[in-house]
Amino acid sequence: MKKIKVLDCTLRDGGYVNDWNFGKDNIKEIIRKLNEANIDIIECGFLKDNINQFDINRTNYGSFDDLIALDNNLFKNNRTYALMMLAETYDISNLVDRSQNFVDTIRLSFHKRDIKKAIEMSKIIKEKGYNLYLQPTATMRYTDLEIKELINVCNQDIKPNSIAIVDTFGEMIDDDIIHFTKLFDKYLNDDITLAFHSHNNIQTSYSNVILFINNIKKDREIVIDASIFGMGRGAGNLCSELIINYLN
């Protein structure tokens, strides 16, 4: 039976709706409730290196210490915490070693035009000791050959913990989901988790997640992104409901 993990990205992707201004108390409460709900991976916001002054009410962080400033007691040893990094804007030389940092996972988002830069950044993220989750933005814009080339780099060189099919514009329909899922599942090494990041722009997230799950071979671990709201305004809560029903 396939193993399904849920990743909640409310505090990061949801920030496109409210300019990441959740408010300190709401940020803490969201993290606390996600812990209580046993969400497998909690994405706490963006890691950025161009923040002049940290605002504790926003989920854009200039350092890991900024996140700890919320309340170090929020973060549990048995939970995976992640921050998102944008390849096009982040200076990877500013990334500190993983060491005892409670954030153990970096999600690296990159456009196709930045793929060479993303590959080099990926190597450094791994060298620094972090789990690496790759997010190829707008996966629909890749040709099959480009997807295979990216997968080959992942299999042979980068060896990320996870790579996602990213429906950035919420435009994927049935045939797209089936095609990309089978393509990744066929060529991606079995020990690399395959994730799906959906947006609900055309109200297809629910059915797309079903198709994604059902077109994965049985023994692969998969990750489903979920959120209360985000760029697609509602994609995540549909995914969360589906996963709960599926696992029950």
Side-chain angles (χ1 to χ4, degrees), residues 223-240:
V223 172
I224 304 295
D225 275 20
S227 66
I228 298 172
F229 56 86
M231 288 174 67
R233 288 178 171 78
N237 60 337
L238 292 173
C239 295
S240 298

Side-chain angles (χ1 to χ4, degrees), residues 117-178:
K117 181 180 180 181
I119 291 171
E120 294 307 311
M121 292 178 70
S122 294
K123 295 176 182 177
I124 295 173
I125 292 168
K126 293 277 287 185
E127 288 170 359
K128 296 282 188 179
Y130 295 90
N131 297 326
L132 173 65
Y133 282 35
L134 293 179
Q135 295 283 112
T137 300
T139 305
M140 282 271 286
R141 301 297 179 264
Y142 287 75
T143 66
D144 284 6
L145 178 59
E146 289 168 335
I147 290 291
K148 290 178 184 178
E149 290 174 345
L150 176 60
I151 290 173
N152 186 60
V153 171
C154 289
N155 290 341
Q156 303 299 326
D157 195 8
I158 301 176
K159 298 180 180 178
N161 300 84
S162 176
I163 187 169
I165 298 170
V166 184
D167 188 13
T168 303
F169 302 108
E171 61 187 326
M172 287 186 174
I173 56 176
D174 292 7
D175 289 345
D176 303 317
I177 297 296
I178 294 170

Side-chain angles (χ1 to χ4, degrees), residues 21-218:
N21 190 6
F22 291 87
K24 177 183 177 181
D25 290 342
N26 287 329
I27 296 170
K28 292 172 63 175
E29 187 65 10
I30 289 171
I31 294 173
R32 186 178 295 111
K33 292 300 184 182
L34 292 174
N35 280 324
E36 290 178 2
N38 291 319
I39 297 301
D40 300 289
I41 307 159
I42 301 172
E43 188 175 81
C44 300
F46 271 114
L47 180 62
K48 297 186 175 182
D49 56 4
N50 59 351
I51 297 176
N52 295 324
Q53 185 174 359
F54 170 58
D55 183 349
I56 202 167
N57 292 301
R58 296 177 184 271
T59 53
N60 289 322
Y61 305 101
S63 72
F64 297 101
D65 289 340
D66 291 343
L67 186 53
I68 292 174
L70 279 170
D71 182 353
N72 198 29
N73 294 322
L74 282 172
F75 305 102
K76 311 299 181 183
N77 292 330
N78 62 345
R79 196 78 62 229
T80 296
Y81 299 96
L83 288 175
M84 173 73 82
M85 177 189 297
L86 299 179
E88 61 189 305
T89 59
Y90 190 83
D91 182 352
I92 196 64
S93 66
N94 291 321
L95 183 65
V96 299
D97 289 340
R98 162 75 173 87
S99 62
Q100 299 302 311
N101 196 324
F102 67 89
V103 174
D104 58 12
T105 300
I106 298 292
R107 290 228 289 177
L108 179 62
S109 177
F110 57 94
H111 292 277
K112 187 167 69 171
R113 63 179 180 268
D114 296 315
I115 192 167
K116 290 183 178 179
K117 181 180 180 181
I119 291 171
E120 294 307 311
M121 292 178 70
S122 294
K123 295 176 182 177
I124 295 173
I125 292 168
K126 293 277 287 185
E127 288 170 359
K128 296 282 188 179
Y130 295 90
N131 297 326
L132 173 65
Y133 282 35
L134 293 179
Q135 295 283 112
T137 300
T139 305
M140 282 271 286
R141 301 297 179 264
Y142 287 75
T143 66
D144 284 6
L145 178 59
E146 289 168 335
I147 290 291
K148 290 178 184 178
E149 290 174 345
L150 176 60
I151 290 173
N152 186 60
V153 171
C154 289
N155 290 341
Q156 303 299 326
D157 195 8
I158 301 176
K159 298 180 180 178
N161 300 84
S162 176
I163 187 169
I165 298 170
V166 184
D167 188 13
T168 303
F169 302 108
E171 61 187 326
M172 287 186 174
I173 56 176
D174 292 7
D175 289 345
D176 303 317
I177 297 296
I178 294 170
H179 174 74
F180 282 101
T181 300
K182 289 186 174 181
L183 185 63
F184 273 90
D185 197 38
K186 179 178 180 179
Y187 293 102
L188 188 67
N189 282 354
D190 289 349
D191 60 351
I192 299 176
T193 298
L194 184 57
F196 180 53
H197 180 90
S198 179
H199 288 275
N200 205 35
N201 300 50
I202 56 174
Q203 305 301 305
T204 56
S205 279
Y206 193 99
S207 59
N208 284 350
V209 172
I210 294 173
L211 284 171
F212 173 74
I213 292 172
N214 288 339
N215 281 280
I216 295 288
K217 57 190 177 187
K218 299 294 184 180

